[in-house]
Amino acid sequence: MNPSTDHAVLTAMLAPAFFLTATASLLLSANNRLARIIDRARTLLRELADVEDDTERGLLEKRIGLQRLRSLIILRAGQLLYAAISCFVGTSLAVAVDTFTGHRLGSLPTWLAALGVVAMLAASLLLARESTLAVTAINEEMDHRKVKRKIPASQA
């Protein structure tokens, strides 16, 4: 090995490391979002147990359904992010094996990196979709509370 080869290997392994950091940040965010969704779903389920009005029950069931959809989207995004991490680690390992052992892996590092980036892109799109659903959910709840407050106490 010579210094220029060592430098090239380190440079080739640096890009996956940056992607690993970005992916890990997204994964942390997704897991935090999932925890908030679960907390909200549990709250809605507790509220549902105490509701006798069919209209209110239907509204809570709709909200619970939305939380279920959000949790499934976050789950898929998390799975894609874990796949991306695996691809980026595989990229670094493939570069190291290719360089230090003399085994020629050809375009494997490139394919692994590309798969990781595609998984990260798909996960990001899912996270964006879930964010939209989160805003929709809170807007609907705020709109419902406004309507509920406008009903005079004598008619409620």
Side-chain angles (χ1 to χ4, degrees), residues 4-54:
S4 66
T5 304
D6 289 345
H7 179 60
V9 170
L10 290 175
T11 301
M13 294 175 80
L14 203 58
F18 286 126
F19 275 112
L20 274 169
T21 303
T23 306
S25 294
L26 282 175
L27 191 55
L28 180 63
S29 171
N31 285 334
N32 287 335
R33 287 160 74 169
L34 182 58
R36 286 193 306 271
I37 292 166
I38 290 168
D39 289 344
R40 182 65 184 135
R42 286 181 178 152
T43 300
L44 290 170
L45 288 168
R46 278 192 299 273
E47 289 177 20
L48 184 65
D50 298 332
V51 171
E52 294 179 15
D53 179 56
D54 287 341

Side-chain angles (χ1 to χ4, degrees), residues 43-129:
T43 300
L44 290 170
L45 288 168
R46 278 192 299 273
E47 289 177 20
L48 184 65
D50 298 332
V51 171
E52 294 179 15
D53 179 56
D54 287 341
T55 304
E56 194 70 23
R57 177 174 288 281
L59 185 61
L60 284 173
E61 287 173 350
K62 180 182 170 191
R63 290 177 183 165
I64 291 166
L66 183 59
Q67 298 307 315
R68 182 187 308 257
L69 176 60
R70 289 179 62 206
S71 68
L72 289 173
I73 290 171
I74 291 290
L75 173 65
R76 295 294 175 254
Q79 290 169 333
L80 285 165
L81 290 169
Y82 281 116
I85 286 173
S86 298
C87 289
F88 296 139
V89 169
T91 300
S92 292
L93 290 173
V95 167
V97 165
D98 197 36
T99 303
F100 296 119
T101 67
H103 292 90
R104 293 292 154 219
L105 300 177
S107 61
L108 180 62
T110 303
W111 282 105
L112 285 171
L115 283 173
V117 170
V118 168
M120 197 170 167
L121 171 65
S124 296
L125 293 173
L126 286 173
L127 292 172
R129 173 71 178 128

